[in-house]
């Protein structure tokens, strides 16, 4: 996914920079909040994908591999090490 | 990734519900903002993975498959259809 995003948006992501790209991410998180309120399945899928795409663009800009980063969740909860998680509920 | 998250956090995600889970997502987006400011590579990878995990938990709760959702970016920009994107820069 990040490779496709890089091929598609690298130039404008670089021109915009991390701060402007973070602002876009937050804007899409706001649209996700609205879709959660409306509970429209198509809008939800749309906004989740936009959040994920901006997260991927931002990760590209600062050199983070999302797949490698999220590996800390691969064996269960990174805090307690269990799956299902056995931390105190929050 | 969503399957692992479901196995690990399903029970507490369901108990917390979408609104509480969204609040967690936003909290982690705030921590990502801080990591962007500090430019610490380990903290960045950590916060990106937390944002992604909470996004996955939230998607699980409302029945969205992130991989299917993000397929609209697979062929390039979903707005202009090109890769690289040929939309007006923003």
């Amino acid at each position: 996914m990040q490779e496709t995003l890089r091929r598609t948006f690298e130039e404008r992501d670089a021109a915009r920079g991390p701060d402007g790209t973070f602002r876009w991410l937050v804007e899409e998180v706001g649209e996700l909040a609205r879709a959660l309120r409306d509970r429209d399945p198509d809008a939800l899928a749309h906004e989740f994908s936009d959040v994920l795409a901006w997260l991927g663009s931002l990760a590209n800009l600062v050199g983070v591999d999302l797949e490698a980063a999220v590996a800390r969740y691969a064996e269960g909860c990174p805090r307690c090490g269990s799956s299902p998680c056995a931390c105190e509920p929050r």
Side-chain angles (χ1 to χ4, degrees), chain A:
Chain A
M1 179 192 82
Q2 272 182 276
E3 251 336 290
T4 309
L5 291 172
R6 187 186 305 280
R7 196 178 60 240
T8 306
F9 300 114
E10 182 169 36
E11 206 176 314
R12 64 193 54 211
D13 285 346
R16 193 189 312 109
D19 285 346
T21 303
F22 181 81
R23 176 180 63 73
W24 266 101
L25 170 65
V26 171
E27 186 169 329
E28 294 300 339
V29 169
E31 292 182 12
L32 176 59
R34 174 59 188 264
L36 285 167
R37 184 150 60 87
D38 293 344
R39 287 303 181 102
D40 170 18
D42 291 341
L44 277 168
H46 190 283
E47 300 308 337
F48 270 104
S49 74
D50 283 348
V51 169
L52 198 50
W54 284 103
L55 194 69
S57 273
L58 186 58
N60 279 339
L61 271 179
V62 297
V64 168
D65 178 335
L66 289 178
E67 200 166 327
V70 87
R72 48 191 287 269
Y73 284 87
E75 304 301 322
C77 172
R79 202 142 44 99
C80 70
S82 302
S83 180
C85 168
C87 298
E88 280 298 305
R90 290 207 277 183

